[in-house]
Amino acid sequence: MTDDMYELMVWLGPAASELTPEQIDRVAEAARDIHQRYPDPDDSHLRDAALSAVVQHLLGETTPEEACRALSAARQREAEAFAAAVQLDG
């Protein structure tokens, strides 16, 4: 097992036992793509969020549509928070 695969299995924790070997290969491939997309060490939260979404999708816990709805809701909350901050800042 490579160091990268070991780290991935540690990151997966109990979810690793719920995934098939083929799904783990898909997660590993996604992890490589995600790391290329977010290479900055400060972007670990983005890598974790993206990889978590991959695992949740493979486990049937979320869908692309649900992810899009969550993004829309988060953007709405961000806009509302921005409006409040602008108003109170003055």
Side-chain angles (χ1 to χ4, degrees):
M1 181 180 294
T2 66
D3 287 345
D4 288 342
M5 186 57 83
Y6 176 78
E7 288 180 23
L8 178 62
M9 296 303 283
V10 169
W11 184 89
L12 284 170
S17 65
E18 298 178 43
L19 296 166
T20 67
E22 293 79 19
Q23 289 174 318
I24 290 175
D25 288 343
R26 289 177 62 187
V27 172
E29 182 179 334
R32 287 188 293 274
D33 292 343
I34 291 165
H35 196 276
Q36 287 180 347
R37 188 173 299 120
Y38 305 107
D40 191 303
D42 292 338
D43 288 340
S44 64
H45 63 292
L46 299 176
R47 288 190 299 277
D48 285 346
L51 195 55
S52 179
V54 169
V55 173
Q56 290 173 18
H57 180 64
L58 288 172
L59 292 175
E61 296 174 358
T62 194
T63 66
E65 295 80 17
E66 289 170 332
C68 286
R69 282 194 296 275
L71 176 59
S72 293
R75 286 180 172 162
Q76 179 69 30
R77 289 189 306 273
E78 177 189 28
E80 292 165 358
F82 181 78
V86 167
Q87 182 61 37
L88 296 178
D89 192 35

